[in-house]
Amino acid sequence: MVTLLGGIALLVIGYFVYGGFIEKNFGIEPDRQTPAEVLQDGMDFVPMPRWKNAIIELLNIAGTGPIFGPIMGALYGPVAYIWIVVGCIFGGAVHDYMVGMISLRNDGAHLPELSSKYLGKPMKHFVNIFSILLLLLVGTVFVTSPASLIESLTPDFMTTGIIVALIFGYYIVSTFLPIDKAMGKVYPWFGAILIISTIAIGLSLIFGGHALPELTPAAIRLENVNGVKLFPAIFFTISCGAMSGFHATQAPMVSRTTTSEKQGRFLFYGMMIAEGVIAMIWAAASMSLFDGQTLSQMIDAGTPSAVVNQVSYMLLGNIFGTAAIIGVIVLPISSGLSAFRSLRNIIADYINLKQDNLKNVLLLTIPIFAVSFILTRVDFNLLWRYFNWANQVIAVIALFVATRYLMYKKRNYLVALLPGTFMLYACLVYIVSEPIGFNLGLNASTYIISLAVGVAILVFFFVTGNKQMANLAERPDLTQDHLPIGTFSK
């Protein structure tokens, strides 16, 4: 219990202390007009109140990540808590805040456009490809995972295929609606269900007489119950609860509905902290109710959704347990919707296809959903592995964008560079060692090759950055935040 409560307390303290430092380092301008106010279009640029934006941001970034990820991360034992707390405060929340605020300063631009501006135009194509891949995988994962949960609550005739079709139907309808109608009306109810169910799970753990695992030297192990090494796997297993590149595709959506820069810390940094709290609770529940081998068998037999079912019913009983499962279901459904909406916008920006009429929306929406439906036939665990690697590559790119932005502004850029460099190395080790990459295994040569490649990337990053810094007179948009709103979008 001490570790769980202590970890949650550290997350809250991190919001006020380190979050305040990050906000000051960025240099907010409370009186600056925002894209939501100046570029209103009744579809994506729509001013909304802070509390509603906060719920939309939380539901957009969460999905099943802060639940499924910590459940699988629990196979490593209490050491999973360390990554959730440290990763969330110094990595994930910084990542989300910087992307959201930089987007706010650039007409609500998505990550590919920001990468083009701050990392160079060639990066736009690379980041577009990765973003499209990531969002397709995210949308598909966030269709299949709630479908398996819904199937457990419905009659036998409601097969997974029927449920998947119904979810896609909801997505298609919502895609055509303005953001304040598609999300602004529904998400507050989804958010209430999520918050209440999470609190209920947490209170049941604390006051239900359960033996909560504590983080002690003896409890720290460098591999999980299946023999999978801690590094780098833990950083890809627990992503959305600690650091996730998917969030970089979602923050710009909320930057288009935000009405003041002073709301940024609460909306972007704060909602990532909230996601970390959710991750802590589900990791603790998984470790306290099941031993490692039982947990592994449940995951292998039915994906982490089987664990969600058991945890909910064991802690809350049939009625409230069902409500808790519904609370988990709303996360991926809401994140899946936002993933496909972001995907449509990113592709539209890339090919310069305005989304101002139904024909153009359908032209992109139908192929996207067709490809995603095909991917639902692929094994969930395989999708999850590819999703997590692509996810963290995007996180690295987003943190390097933030680093370059802070360099140009002559601010402390280490706050973004250090977590970005760490995750870059983890991504390189993962792709060099894993079967989805070069399959060299975890050995000395893998670490050396990854280190050499990582150093080369960093050298290239600083060389190109210094060249841009030497020519800032030709690029006033890189340092001036007082350009007229709408300049970047032109």
Side-chain angles (χ1 to χ4, degrees), residues 131-359:
S131 297
I132 290 169
L133 171 64
L134 173 64
L135 288 169
L136 263 177
L137 291 173
V138 167
T140 304
V141 167
F142 290 166
V143 168
T144 56
S145 53
S148 61
L149 288 169
I150 294 172
E151 187 177 19
S152 68
L153 301 176
T154 53
D156 292 341
F157 72 86
M158 290 292 289
T159 63
T160 300
I162 294 175
I163 296 170
V164 166
L166 290 174
I167 294 174
F168 272 123
Y170 166 68
Y171 285 171
I172 291 171
V173 172
S174 298
T175 299
F176 305 141
L177 297 176
I179 190 169
D180 58 327
K181 302 295 189 300
M183 299 179 182
K185 298 293 186 183
V186 179
Y187 277 28
W189 296 100
F190 282 1
I193 295 172
L194 167 65
I195 293 169
I196 292 171
S197 61
T198 301
I199 292 174
I201 293 288
L203 292 177
S204 296
L205 278 175
I206 295 170
F207 298 107
H210 301 283
L212 295 174
E214 301 293 350
L215 181 62
T216 63
I220 297 177
R221 54 176 182 261
L222 300 181
E223 59 182 39
N224 67 15
V225 296
N226 297 319
V228 180
K229 301 296 184 183
L230 181 72
F231 183 85
I234 189 69
F235 307 109
F236 297 89
T237 303
I238 303 177
S239 54
C240 288
M243 186 193 299
S244 170
F246 170 62
H247 299 184
T249 68
Q250 301 306 297
M253 191 180 301
V254 173
S255 74
R256 297 180 177 194
T257 59
T258 301
T259 57
S260 173
E261 288 192 1
K262 66 182 179 182
Q263 299 175 5
R265 176 153 65 107
F266 180 71
L267 295 178
F268 302 118
Y269 198 101
M271 292 307 102
M272 182 64 221
I273 293 296
E275 191 180 70
V277 173
I278 295 172
M280 287 289 290
I281 291 173
W282 278 96
S286 302
M287 285 184 271
S288 63
L289 297 182
F290 310 105
D291 62 74
Q293 290 299 332
T294 301
L295 187 61
S296 177
Q297 291 169 3
M298 292 173 66
I299 293 172
D300 291 340
T303 77
S305 62
V307 181
V308 171
N309 286 342
Q310 289 298 315
V311 167
S312 300
Y313 290 135
M314 291 173 69
L315 290 178
L316 302 178
N318 290 336
I319 296 177
F320 294 107
T322 300
I325 294 172
I326 294 173
V328 175
I329 288 170
V330 303
L331 280 172
I333 288 180
S334 56
S335 290
L337 169 60
S338 62
F340 286 122
R341 193 182 187 99
S342 297
L343 177 56
R344 175 173 59 80
N345 286 332
I346 286 175
I347 295 175
D349 290 345
Y350 191 43
I351 64 176
N352 294 317
L353 182 66
K354 290 186 177 181
Q355 299 292 280
D356 54 359
N357 60 72
L358 183 60
K359 177 184 176 182

Side-chain angles (χ1 to χ4, degrees), residues 428-446:
L428 290 171
V429 172
Y430 189 86
I431 199 64
V432 170
S433 63
E434 289 293 312
I436 69 169
F438 295 96
N439 198 26
L440 297 184
L442 288 174
N443 49 56
S445 61
T446 294

